[in-house]
């Protein structure tokens, strides 16, 4: 099974990336995912269910430890022909 996760962390800071956003971004970039897109208002990762679920667990833990007050995420099951 393949999964796609999209997530954001809060509170937002338009001046610089907060520590919780940096922590979550670092987790997703280190994960063994097939595709990663990191942006200022959201991040996306895609890969096997095992890798994505492991990354989600780590990013929740690290973002909360770094001061996030909210983590919003969407997790989708995707197929090979899903854009």
């Amino acid at each position: 099974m393949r999964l796609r996760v999209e997530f954001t962390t809060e509170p937002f800071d338009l001046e610089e990336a907060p520590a919780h956003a940096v922590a979550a971004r670092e987790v997703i970039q280190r994960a063994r995912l097939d595709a990663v897109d990191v942006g200022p208002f959201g991040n996306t990762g895609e890969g096997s269910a095992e890798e994505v679920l492991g990354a989600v667990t780590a990013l929740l833990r690290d973002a909360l430890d770094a001061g996030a007050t909210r983590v919003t995420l969407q997790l989708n099951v995707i197929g090979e022909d899903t854009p």
Side-chain angles (χ1 to χ4, degrees):
M1 178 187 321
R2 291 182 53 76
L3 300 175
R4 177 184 300 129
V5 61
E6 300 175 49
F7 67 92
T8 59
T9 62
E10 294 181 44
F12 294 114
D13 182 343
L14 297 177
E15 299 298 320
E16 63 182 276
H20 58 80
V22 172
R25 185 180 326 148
E26 288 174 352
V27 168
I28 206 75
Q29 289 176 321
R30 282 192 316 263
R32 295 182 193 178
L33 302 179
D34 301 331
V36 173
D37 183 27
V38 175
F41 299 108
N43 306 285
T44 305
E46 185 177 308
S48 71
E50 181 178 343
E51 294 297 334
V52 171
L53 293 174
V56 166
T57 300
L59 81 85
L60 289 171
R61 181 186 56 245
D62 289 5
L64 293 170
D65 286 348
T69 58
R70 178 183 295 184
V71 178
T72 304
L73 70 89
Q74 179 176 336
L75 189 66
N76 294 326
V77 175
I78 57 173
E80 295 303 318
D81 58 351
T82 302

